[in-house]
Coordinates of all heavy atoms in Angstrom, one line a residue:
M1 N 55.0 101.0 70.6 CA 55.6 100.0 69.6 C 54.8 98.7 69.8 O 54.5 98.3 70.9 CB 57.0 99.8 70.0 CG 57.8 99.0 68.9 SD 59.5 98.7 69.2 CE 60.2 100.3 68.7
A2 N 54.4 98.0 68.7 CA 53.7 96.8 68.7 C 54.5 95.7 69.1 O 55.7 95.6 68.8 CB 53.1 96.6 67.3
A3 N 54.0 94.7 69.9 CA 54.7 93.5 70.2 C 54.7 92.5 69.0 O 53.8 92.4 68.3 CB 54.1 92.8 71.4
V4 N 55.9 91.9 68.9 CA 56.0 91.0 67.8 C 56.0 89.5 68.4 O 56.8 89.2 69.3 CB 57.3 91.2 67.0 CG1 57.6 90.1 66.0 CG2 57.4 92.6 66.4
S5 N 55.2 88.7 67.8 CA 55.1 87.3 68.2 C 55.9 86.4 67.3 O 55.6 86.3 66.1 CB 53.6 86.9 68.2 OG 53.5 85.4 68.5
L6 N 56.9 85.8 67.9 CA 57.8 84.9 67.0 C 57.5 83.4 67.2 O 57.2 83.1 68.4 CB 59.2 85.1 67.3 CG 59.9 86.4 66.9 CD1 61.3 86.5 67.4 CD2 59.8 86.7 65.5
S7 N 57.5 82.7 66.2 CA 57.4 81.2 66.3 C 58.4 80.7 65.2 O 58.9 81.4 64.4 CB 56.0 80.8 66.0 OG 55.7 80.9 64.6
V8 N 58.6 79.4 65.3 CA 59.5 78.7 64.3 C 59.1 79.0 62.8 O 59.9 79.2 61.9 CB 59.6 77.3 64.5 CG1 60.5 76.5 63.5 CG2 60.2 77.1 66.0
S9 N 57.8 78.9 62.6 CA 57.2 79.1 61.3 C 57.3 80.6 60.8 O 57.3 80.8 59.6 CB 55.8 78.7 61.2 OG 55.0 79.5 62.1
T10 N 57.5 81.6 61.7 CA 57.6 82.9 61.2 C 59.1 83.4 61.0 O 59.3 84.5 60.6 CB 57.0 83.9 62.2 OG1 57.6 83.8 63.4 CG2 55.5 83.6 62.3
V11 N 60.1 82.6 61.5 CA 61.5 82.9 61.3 C 62.0 82.3 60.1 O 62.0 81.1 59.8 CB 62.2 82.4 62.6 CG1 63.8 82.7 62.3 CG2 61.8 83.0 63.8
K12 N 62.5 83.2 59.1 CA 63.0 82.7 57.8 C 64.5 83.3 57.8 O 64.7 84.5 57.6 CB 62.2 83.3 56.6 CG 62.7 82.9 55.3 CD 62.7 81.4 55.0 CE 63.2 81.1 53.6 NZ 63.6 79.7 53.5
P13 N 65.5 82.4 57.9 CA 66.9 82.9 57.8 C 67.3 83.4 56.4 O 66.6 83.0 55.4 CB 67.7 81.6 58.0 CG 66.8 80.6 58.7 CD 65.4 81.0 58.1
L14 N 68.1 84.3 56.4 CA 68.6 85.0 55.2 C 70.0 84.5 54.8 O 70.8 84.0 55.6 CB 68.7 86.5 55.4 CG 67.4 87.2 55.8 CD1 67.7 88.7 56.0 CD2 66.4 87.1 54.7
G15 N 70.2 84.6 53.5 CA 71.7 84.1 53.0 C 72.0 82.7 53.4 O 71.2 81.8 53.1
D16 N 73.2 82.5 53.9 CA 73.6 81.1 54.2 C 73.4 80.8 55.6 O 74.0 79.9 56.2 CB 75.0 81.0 53.8 CG 76.0 81.8 54.7 OD1 75.6 82.7 55.3 OD2 77.2 81.3 54.8
R17 N 72.4 81.5 56.3 CA 72.2 81.2 57.7 C 71.1 80.0 57.9 O 70.3 79.8 57.0 CB 71.7 82.4 58.4 CG 72.7 83.5 58.5 CD 72.3 84.7 59.4 NE 73.3 85.6 59.4 CZ 73.7 86.5 58.6 NH1 73.1 86.4 57.4 NH2 74.7 87.4 58.8
V18 N 71.3 79.3 59.0 CA 70.3 78.2 59.4 C 69.8 78.4 60.7 O 70.5 79.0 61.7 CB 71.0 76.8 59.2 CG1 71.4 76.6 57.8 CG2 72.2 76.7 60.1
F19 N 68.6 77.9 61.0 CA 68.0 78.0 62.2 C 68.0 76.6 62.8 O 67.4 75.6 62.2 CB 66.5 78.5 62.0 CG 65.9 79.1 63.3 CD1 66.5 80.1 64.0 CD2 64.6 78.7 63.6 CE1 65.9 80.6 65.1 CE2 64.0 79.3 64.8 CZ 64.6 80.2 65.5
V20 N 68.6 76.4 64.0 CA 68.8 75.1 64.6 C 68.1 75.0 65.9 O 68.3 75.9 66.7 CB 70.3 74.8 64.8 CG1 70.6 73.5 65.3 CG2 71.1 74.9 63.4
K21 N 67.4 73.9 66.1 CA 66.8 73.6 67.4 C 67.8 72.9 68.3 O 68.3 71.8 67.9 CB 65.5 72.8 67.4 CG 64.9 72.5 68.7 CD 63.5 71.8 68.5 CE 62.9 71.6 69.9 NZ 61.7 70.9 69.8
V22 N 68.2 73.4 69.4 CA 69.3 72.8 70.2 C 68.8 71.6 71.0 O 67.7 71.5 71.5 CB 69.7 73.9 71.3 CG1 70.8 73.3 72.2 CG2 70.2 75.2 70.6
S23 N 69.6 70.5 71.0 CA 69.3 69.3 71.7 C 69.4 69.5 73.2 O 70.0 70.5 73.6 CB 70.3 68.3 71.3 OG 70.1 67.8 70.0
A24 N 68.6 68.8 73.9 CA 68.6 69.0 75.4 C 70.1 68.7 76.0 O 70.7 67.8 75.5 CB 67.7 68.0 76.0
A25 N 70.4 69.4 77.0 CA 71.7 69.2 77.7 C 71.6 68.0 78.5 O 70.6 67.6 79.0 CB 72.0 70.5 78.6
E26 N 72.8 67.4 78.8 CA 72.8 66.3 79.6 C 72.5 66.6 81.1 O 72.9 67.5 81.6 CB 74.3 65.7 79.6 CG 74.7 65.1 78.3 CD 73.9 63.8 77.9 OE1 73.6 63.1 78.8 OE2 73.6 63.7 76.7
E27 N 71.6 65.7 81.7 CA 71.2 66.0 83.0 C 72.1 65.3 84.1 O 72.2 65.8 85.2 CB 69.8 65.4 83.2 CG 68.7 66.0 82.4 CD 68.4 67.4 82.8 OE1 68.4 67.7 84.1 OE2 68.1 68.2 82.0
K28 N 72.9 64.3 83.6 CA 73.8 63.7 84.5 C 75.0 63.1 83.8 O 75.0 63.0 82.6 CB 73.2 62.6 85.4 CG 72.5 61.4 84.7 CD 71.9 60.5 85.6 CE 71.2 59.5 84.8 NZ 70.5 58.5 85.7
T29 N 76.1 62.9 84.6 CA 77.3 62.5 84.0 C 77.2 61.0 83.7 O 76.3 60.3 84.1 CB 78.5 62.7 84.9 OG1 78.3 61.9 86.1 CG2 78.7 64.1 85.3
A30 N 78.3 60.4 83.0 CA 78.3 59.0 82.7 C 78.3 58.1 84.0 O 77.8 57.0 84.0 CB 79.5 58.7 81.9
G31 N 78.8 58.7 85.1 CA 78.9 58.0 86.3 C 77.7 58.1 87.1 O 77.5 57.6 88.2
G32 N 76.7 58.9 86.6 CA 75.4 59.0 87.3 C 75.2 60.2 88.2 O 74.2 60.3 88.9
I33 N 76.2 61.2 88.2 CA 76.1 62.3 89.1 C 75.2 63.4 88.4 O 75.4 63.7 87.2 CB 77.5 63.0 89.3 CG1 78.4 61.9 90.0 CG2 77.4 64.3 90.1 CD1 79.8 62.4 90.1
L34 N 74.2 63.9 89.1 CA 73.3 64.8 88.6 C 74.0 66.2 88.5 O 74.7 66.7 89.4 CB 72.0 65.0 89.5 CG 71.1 63.8 89.4 CD1 70.0 64.0 90.4 CD2 70.5 63.6 88.1
L35 N 73.9 66.9 87.4 CA 74.5 68.2 87.1 C 73.5 69.4 87.4 O 72.4 69.3 87.0 CB 74.9 68.3 85.7 CG 76.0 67.3 85.2 CD1 76.2 67.4 83.7 CD2 77.3 67.6 85.9
P36 N 74.0 70.4 88.3 CA 73.2 71.6 88.4 C 73.2 72.4 87.2 O 74.0 72.2 86.2 CB 73.9 72.3 89.6 CG 75.3 71.8 89.5 CD 75.2 70.4 89.0
D37 N 72.2 73.2 87.0 CA 72.0 74.1 85.8 C 73.2 74.8 85.5 O 73.6 74.9 84.3 CB 70.8 75.0 85.9 CG 69.5 74.3 85.9 OD1 69.5 73.1 85.4 OD2 68.5 74.8 86.4
N38 N 74.0 75.3 86.4 CA 75.1 76.2 86.1 C 76.3 75.3 85.7 O 77.3 75.9 85.2 CB 75.5 77.1 87.2 CG 75.7 76.4 88.5 OD1 75.6 75.1 88.6 ND2 76.2 77.2 89.6
A39 N 76.3 74.0 85.8 CA 77.4 73.2 85.4 C 77.2 72.6 84.1 O 78.2 71.9 83.6 CB 77.6 72.1 86.6
K40 N 76.0 72.7 83.5 CA 75.8 72.0 82.2 C 76.4 72.8 81.2 O 76.4 74.1 81.1 CB 74.2 72.0 82.0 CG 73.5 71.0 82.9 CD 72.0 71.1 82.7 CE 71.3 70.4 83.7 NZ 69.8 70.5 83.6
E41 N 77.0 72.1 80.2 CA 77.6 72.7 79.0 C 76.6 72.9 78.0 O 75.6 72.1 77.8 CB 78.8 71.9 78.5 CG 79.9 71.9 79.3 CD 81.1 71.3 78.6 OE1 81.2 71.4 77.3 OE2 82.0 70.8 79.3
K42 N 76.7 74.0 77.2 CA 75.9 74.3 76.1 C 76.0 73.1 75.0 O 77.1 72.8 74.6 CB 76.3 75.6 75.4 CG 75.5 76.0 74.2 CD 75.9 77.3 73.7 CE 75.3 77.5 72.3 NZ 75.8 78.7 71.6
P43 N 74.9 72.5 74.7 CA 75.0 71.5 73.7 C 75.5 72.0 72.3 O 75.2 73.1 72.0 CB 73.6 70.9 73.5 CG 72.9 71.5 74.7 CD 73.6 72.7 75.1
Q44 N 76.2 71.2 71.5 CA 76.6 71.5 70.3 C 75.9 70.8 69.1 O 76.4 70.8 68.0 CB 78.2 71.3 70.2 CG 79.0 72.2 71.0 CD 80.4 71.9 71.0 OE1 80.9 71.2 71.9 NE2 81.1 72.3 69.9
I45 N 74.9 70.0 69.5 CA 74.2 69.2 68.5 C 72.7 69.8 68.4 O 72.2 70.0 69.4 CB 74.2 67.7 68.8 CG1 75.6 67.2 68.7 CG2 73.3 66.9 67.9 CD1 75.8 65.8 69.1
G46 N 72.2 69.8 67.2 CA 70.9 70.3 67.1 C 70.3 69.8 65.7 O 71.0 69.3 64.9
E47 N 69.0 70.1 65.5 CA 68.3 69.8 64.3 C 68.0 71.0 63.6 O 67.4 72.0 64.0 CB 67.1 69.0 64.6 CG 66.3 68.5 63.4 CD 65.1 67.7 63.7 OE1 65.0 67.3 64.9 OE2 64.2 67.6 62.9
I48 N 68.3 71.0 62.2 CA 67.9 72.1 61.4 C 66.4 72.3 61.2 O 65.7 71.3 60.8 CB 68.5 71.9 60.0 CG1 70.0 71.7 60.0 CG2 68.2 73.2 59.0 CD1 70.9 72.9 60.3
V49 N 65.8 73.4 61.5 CA 64.4 73.6 61.4 C 64.1 74.6 60.2 O 63.0 74.6 59.8 CB 63.8 74.1 62.6 CG1 63.8 73.0 63.8 CG2 64.4 75.3 63.2
A50 N 65.0 75.4 59.8 CA 64.9 76.3 58.6 C 66.2 76.7 58.1 O 67.2 76.7 58.8 CB 64.1 77.5 59.1
T51 N 66.3 76.9 56.7 CA 67.5 77.3 56.1 C 67.3 78.5 55.2 O 66.1 78.7 54.7 CB 68.1 76.2 55.2 OG1 67.2 75.9 54.1 CG2 68.4 75.0 55.9
G52 N 68.3 79.3 55.0 CA 68.2 80.5 54.1 C 68.3 79.9 52.6 O 68.5 78.8 52.4
P53 N 68.2 80.9 51.7 CA 68.2 80.4 50.3 C 69.7 80.1 49.8 O 69.9 79.5 48.8 CB 67.8 81.7 49.6 CG 68.0 82.9 50.5 CD 67.9 82.3 51.9
G54 N 70.7 80.4 50.6 CA 72.1 80.1 50.3 C 72.9 81.3 50.1 O 72.4 82.4 49.9
K55 N 74.2 81.1 50.1 CA 75.2 82.2 49.8 C 75.2 82.8 48.4 O 75.1 82.0 47.5 CB 76.6 81.7 50.3 CG 77.6 82.8 50.2 CD 78.9 82.2 50.7 CE 80.0 83.3 50.7 NZ 81.3 82.8 51.2
R56 N 75.2 84.1 48.4 CA 75.2 84.7 47.0 C 76.7 84.7 46.5 O 77.6 85.1 47.2 CB 74.8 86.1 47.1 CG 74.6 86.6 45.6 CD 73.7 87.9 45.6 NE 72.4 87.9 46.2 CZ 71.3 87.4 45.4 NH1 71.4 87.0 44.2 NH2 70.0 87.5 45.9
N57 N 76.9 84.2 45.3 CA 78.2 84.1 44.6 C 78.5 85.5 44.0 O 77.7 86.4 44.0 CB 78.3 83.0 43.5 CG 78.0 81.7 44.1 OD1 78.4 81.3 45.3 ND2 77.3 80.9 43.4
D58 N 79.8 85.7 43.6 CA 80.2 86.8 42.9 C 79.4 87.2 41.7 O 79.2 88.4 41.4 CB 81.7 86.8 42.6 CG 82.6 86.7 43.8 OD1 82.2 87.3 44.8 OD2 83.7 86.2 43.7
D59 N 79.0 86.2 41.0 CA 78.2 86.5 39.7 C 76.7 86.7 40.0 O 75.9 86.9 39.1 CB 78.4 85.3 38.7 CG 77.8 84.0 39.2 OD1 77.4 84.0 40.3 OD2 77.9 83.1 38.4
G60 N 76.2 86.7 41.3 CA 74.9 87.0 41.5 C 74.1 85.7 41.8 O 72.9 85.9 42.3
S61 N 74.6 84.6 41.4 CA 73.8 83.4 41.6 C 73.9 82.9 43.1 O 74.7 83.5 43.8 CB 74.3 82.2 40.7 OG 75.6 81.9 41.0
R62 N 73.2 81.8 43.5 CA 73.2 81.4 44.8 C 73.7 80.0 44.9 O 73.4 79.2 44.1 CB 71.8 81.5 45.5 CG 71.3 82.8 45.7 CD 70.3 82.8 46.9 NE 69.7 84.1 47.1 CZ 70.1 84.9 48.1 NH1 71.1 84.6 48.8 NH2 69.6 86.1 48.1
S63 N 74.5 79.7 45.9 CA 74.9 78.3 46.2 C 73.9 77.7 47.1 O 73.5 78.3 48.1 CB 76.3 78.4 46.9 OG 77.2 78.9 46.0
E64 N 73.4 76.5 46.8 CA 72.5 75.8 47.6 C 73.2 75.4 49.0 O 74.4 75.1 49.0 CB 72.0 74.5 46.9 CG 71.1 74.7 45.8 CD 69.8 75.0 46.2 OE1 69.3 74.5 47.2 OE2 69.1 76.0 45.6
P65 N 72.5 75.5 50.1 CA 73.0 75.1 51.4 C 73.3 73.6 51.3 O 72.6 72.8 50.7 CB 71.9 75.4 52.3 CG 70.9 76.3 51.6 CD 71.1 76.0 50.2
E66 N 74.3 73.2 52.0 CA 74.7 71.8 52.0 C 73.8 71.0 53.0 O 73.8 69.8 53.0 CB 76.2 71.6 52.5 CG 77.2 72.1 51.4 CD 78.6 71.7 51.8 OE1 78.9 70.6 52.1 OE2 79.4 72.6 51.8
V67 N 73.2 71.7 53.9 CA 72.3 71.0 54.9 C 70.8 71.3 54.5 O 70.5 72.3 53.7 CB 72.6 71.6 56.3 CG1 73.9 71.1 56.8 CG2 72.4 73.1 56.4
K68 N 69.9 70.5 55.0 CA 68.5 70.6 54.7 C 67.7 70.4 56.0 O 68.2 70.1 57.0 CB 68.0 69.6 53.7 CG 68.2 68.2 54.0 CD 67.8 67.3 52.9 CE 67.9 65.8 53.2 NZ 69.2 65.4 53.7
V69 N 66.5 70.9 56.0 CA 65.6 70.8 57.2 C 65.5 69.3 57.5 O 65.4 68.4 56.7 CB 64.2 71.4 56.8 CG1 63.3 71.1 58.0 CG2 64.3 72.9 56.5
G70 N 65.7 69.1 58.9 CA 65.7 67.8 59.4 C 67.0 67.1 59.7 O 67.1 66.1 60.4
D71 N 68.1 67.7 59.2 CA 69.4 67.2 59.4 C 69.8 67.5 60.9 O 69.6 68.6 61.4 CB 70.4 67.8 58.5 CG 70.4 67.3 57.1 OD1 69.7 66.4 56.8 OD2 71.1 67.9 56.2
K72 N 70.5 66.4 61.5 CA 71.0 66.7 62.8 C 72.6 67.1 62.5 O 73.2 66.4 61.8 CB 71.0 65.4 63.6 CG 69.7 65.1 64.2 CD 69.9 64.1 65.3 CE 68.7 64.1 66.1 NZ 68.8 64.7 67.5
V73 N 72.9 68.2 63.1 CA 74.2 68.8 62.9 C 75.0 69.0 64.2 O 74.4 69.2 65.3 CB 74.1 70.1 62.0 CG1 73.6 69.9 60.7 CG2 73.3 71.1 62.8
L74 N 76.4 69.0 64.0 CA 77.3 69.4 65.1 C 77.8 70.8 64.7 O 78.3 70.9 63.6 CB 78.4 68.4 65.2 CG 79.6 68.7 66.1 CD1 79.1 68.7 67.6 CD2 80.7 67.7 65.9
Y75 N 77.8 71.8 65.6 CA 78.2 73.1 65.3 C 79.2 73.7 66.3 O 79.3 73.1 67.3 CB 77.0 74.1 65.2 CG 76.1 74.1 66.3 CD1 76.3 75.0 67.3 CD2 75.0 73.2 66.4 CE1 75.4 75.1 68.4 CE2 74.2 73.3 67.5 CZ 74.4 74.2 68.5 OH 73.6 74.3 69.6
S76 N 79.9 74.7 65.9 CA 80.9 75.3 66.8 C 80.3 75.7 68.1 O 79.2 76.2 68.2 CB 81.6 76.5 66.1 OG 82.2 76.1 64.8
K77 N 81.1 75.6 69.1 CA 80.6 75.8 70.5 C 80.1 77.3 70.7 O 79.1 77.4 71.4 CB 81.9 75.5 71.5 CG 81.4 75.5 72.9 CD 82.4 75.0 73.8 CE 82.0 74.7 75.1 NZ 81.9 73.3 75.5
Y78 N 80.8 78.3 70.3 CA 80.4 79.6 70.6 C 79.8 80.3 69.4 O 79.8 81.5 69.3 CB 81.6 80.3 71.2 CG 82.1 79.8 72.4 CD1 83.3 79.0 72.4 CD2 81.3 79.9 73.6 CE1 83.7 78.5 73.7 CE2 81.8 79.2 74.8 CZ 83.0 78.6 74.8 OH 83.4 78.0 75.9
A79 N 79.4 79.6 68.4 CA 78.8 80.1 67.2 C 77.4 80.6 67.3 O 76.6 80.1 68.1 CB 79.0 79.2 66.1
G80 N 77.0 81.5 66.5 CA 75.6 81.8 66.3 C 75.0 82.7 67.4 O 75.7 83.2 68.3
T81 N 73.7 83.0 67.3 CA 72.9 83.8 68.2 C 71.9 82.9 68.9 O 71.1 82.3 68.2 CB 72.2 85.0 67.5 OG1 73.2 85.7 66.8 CG2 71.4 85.8 68.4
D82 N 71.9 82.9 70.2 CA 70.9 82.1 70.9 C 69.6 82.8 71.0 O 69.5 84.0 71.2 CB 71.4 81.9 72.4 CG 72.7 81.1 72.4 OD1 72.9 80.3 71.5 OD2 73.4 81.3 73.4
I83 N 68.5 82.0 70.7 CA 67.2 82.5 70.7 C 66.3 81.5 71.4 O 66.4 80.3 71.2 CB 66.6 82.6 69.2 CG1 67.5 83.6 68.5 CG2 65.1 83.1 69.2 CD1 67.2 83.7 66.9
K84 N 65.4 82.1 72.3 CA 64.5 81.3 73.0 C 63.1 81.6 72.6 O 62.7 82.7 72.7 CB 64.7 81.4 74.5 CG 63.9 80.4 75.3 CD 64.4 80.5 76.8 CE 63.8 79.3 77.5 NZ 64.3 79.1 78.9
L85 N 62.4 80.6 72.1 CA 61.0 80.7 71.7 C 60.1 79.8 72.6 O 60.2 78.6 72.4 CB 60.8 80.4 70.2 CG 61.5 81.2 69.2 CD1 61.3 80.7 67.8 CD2 61.1 82.7 69.3
G86 N 59.4 80.4 73.5 CA 58.6 79.6 74.4 C 59.6 78.8 75.3 O 60.4 79.5 75.9
T87 N 59.5 77.5 75.4 CA 60.4 76.8 76.2 C 61.6 76.1 75.4 O 62.5 75.6 76.0 CB 59.7 75.7 77.0 OG1 59.1 74.7 76.1 CG2 58.6 76.2 77.9
D88 N 61.6 76.3 74.1 CA 62.6 75.7 73.3 C 63.7 76.7 73.0 O 63.4 77.9 72.9 CB 61.9 75.2 71.9 CG 61.0 74.1 72.1 OD1 61.2 73.3 73.1 OD2 60.0 74.0 71.3
E89 N 64.9 76.2 72.9 CA 66.1 76.9 72.6 C 66.6 76.7 71.1 O 66.6 75.5 70.7 CB 67.2 76.7 73.6 CG 66.9 77.1 75.0 CD 68.1 76.9 75.9 OE1 69.3 76.8 75.4 OE2 67.8 76.9 77.1
Y90 N 66.9 77.7 70.5 CA 67.4 77.7 69.1 C 68.7 78.5 68.9 O 69.0 79.3 69.8 CB 66.3 78.3 68.2 CG 65.0 77.5 68.2 CD1 64.0 77.9 69.1 CD2 64.8 76.5 67.3 CE1 62.7 77.2 69.1 CE2 63.6 75.9 67.3 CZ 62.5 76.1 68.2 OH 61.4 75.5 68.3
V91 N 69.4 78.2 67.8 CA 70.5 79.0 67.5 C 70.4 79.3 66.1 O 70.1 78.5 65.2 CB 71.8 78.2 67.7 CG1 73.1 78.9 67.3 CG2 72.0 77.7 69.1
L92 N 70.6 80.6 65.7 CA 70.7 81.1 64.3 C 72.2 81.3 64.0 O 72.8 82.1 64.7 CB 70.0 82.4 64.2 CG 69.9 83.0 62.9 CD1 69.1 82.1 61.9 CD2 69.2 84.4 62.9
L93 N 72.7 80.5 63.0 CA 74.1 80.5 62.8 C 74.3 80.5 61.3 O 73.5 80.1 60.5 CB 74.8 79.4 63.5 CG 74.3 78.0 63.5 CD1 75.0 77.2 62.3 CD2 74.8 77.4 64.8
S94 N 75.6 80.8 60.9 CA 76.0 80.7 59.5 C 76.3 79.3 59.1 O 76.8 78.6 60.0 CB 77.2 81.7 59.3 OG 77.5 81.7 58.0
E95 N 76.1 78.9 57.9 CA 76.4 77.6 57.5 C 77.9 77.2 57.7 O 78.2 76.1 57.9 CB 76.0 77.4 56.0 CG 76.1 76.0 55.6 CD 75.7 75.7 54.1 OE1 75.7 76.7 53.4 OE2 75.4 74.6 53.7
K96 N 78.8 78.2 57.6 CA 80.2 77.8 57.8 C 80.5 77.4 59.2 O 81.6 76.9 59.4 CB 81.0 79.1 57.4 CG 80.9 80.2 58.4 CD 81.8 81.4 58.0 CE 81.6 82.5 59.0 NZ 82.2 83.7 58.8
D97 N 79.6 77.7 60.2 CA 79.8 77.2 61.5 C 79.4 75.8 61.8 O 79.5 75.4 63.0 CB 79.0 78.2 62.4 CG 79.7 79.6 62.5 OD1 80.9 79.7 62.4 OD2 78.9 80.6 62.6
I98 N 78.8 75.2 60.8 CA 78.4 73.8 61.0 C 79.6 72.9 60.7 O 80.3 73.1 59.6 CB 77.2 73.4 60.1 CG1 76.0 74.3 60.5 CG2 76.9 72.0 60.1 CD1 74.8 74.1 59.6
L99 N 79.9 72.1 61.6 CA 81.1 71.2 61.5 C 80.8 69.8 60.8 O 81.6 69.4 60.1 CB 81.7 71.0 62.9 CG 82.1 72.3 63.6 CD1 82.5 71.9 65.1 CD2 83.1 73.1 62.9
A100 N 79.6 69.3 61.1 CA 79.4 67.9 60.5 C 77.8 67.6 60.6 O 77.2 68.3 61.4 CB 80.2 66.9 61.3
I101 N 77.4 66.8 59.7 CA 76.1 66.3 59.8 C 76.2 64.9 60.6 O 77.0 64.1 60.2 CB 75.4 66.0 58.4 CG1 75.3 67.4 57.6 CG2 74.1 65.3 58.4 CD1 74.9 67.3 56.1
V102 N 75.3 64.8 61.6 CA 75.3 63.6 62.4 C 74.3 62.6 62.0 O 73.1 63.1 61.8 CB 75.2 64.0 63.9 CG1 75.1 62.7 64.8 CG2 76.1 65.0 64.4
S103 N 74.7 61.4 61.7 CA 73.6 60.5 61.3 C 73.3 59.5 62.4 O 73.9 59.4 63.4 CB 74.2 59.7 60.1 OG 75.4 59.1 60.3

């Protein structure tokens, strides 16, 4: 079986899915205590790097996604599929799992 090389430019989400680059986890607490790797929480904020064409309606037309590439978003804690490309972490999730656009 041939090996497949993935990069951000080769991943194109389908339907209403979006590809999000995860923001870095906090290294220390507000009080200055350094956190070990196993105590860090999974970040819920990331930047949209790719979007699908949108959800298909009952009549066959597509609804445009509400988010666009470059938007910073807040998403549900346990949503999506975690993907690691090189040293960067990404999440592939459905648009309905996005809670807010962060400005």
Side-chain angles (χ1 to χ4, degrees):
M1 190 179 280
V4 176
S5 168
L6 291 178
S7 70
V8 175
S9 61
T10 60
V11 177
K12 178 68 177 158
L14 300 175
D16 68 337
R17 290 182 178 80
V18 294
F19 200 51
V20 177
K21 182 176 183 182
V22 178
S23 297
E26 292 293 323
E27 295 290 325
K28 58 183 174 178
T29 66
I33 299 171
L34 291 175
L35 295 171
D37 287 338
N38 60 351
K40 294 178 187 174
E41 287 194 27
K42 178 182 168 187
Q44 291 176 261
I45 295 179
E47 182 179 344
I48 305 285
V49 293
T51 64
K55 186 177 182 180
R56 190 165 302 272
N57 298 324
D58 292 336
D59 64 357
S61 64
R62 291 211 183 257
S63 298
E64 286 286 318
E66 291 187 53
V67 294
K68 60 185 180 306
V69 173
D71 284 348
K72 282 195 166 255
V73 295
L74 174 68
Y75 54 90
S76 298
K77 189 171 193 109
Y78 300 106
T81 302
D82 297 330
I83 299 171
K84 190 166 187 170
L85 299 178
T87 60
D88 295 327
E89 293 184 21
Y90 297 88
V91 177
L92 183 64
L93 49 91
S94 183
E95 188 180 21
K96 69 179 180 186
D97 293 326
I98 296 175
L99 305 174
I101 296 175
V102 180
S103 52

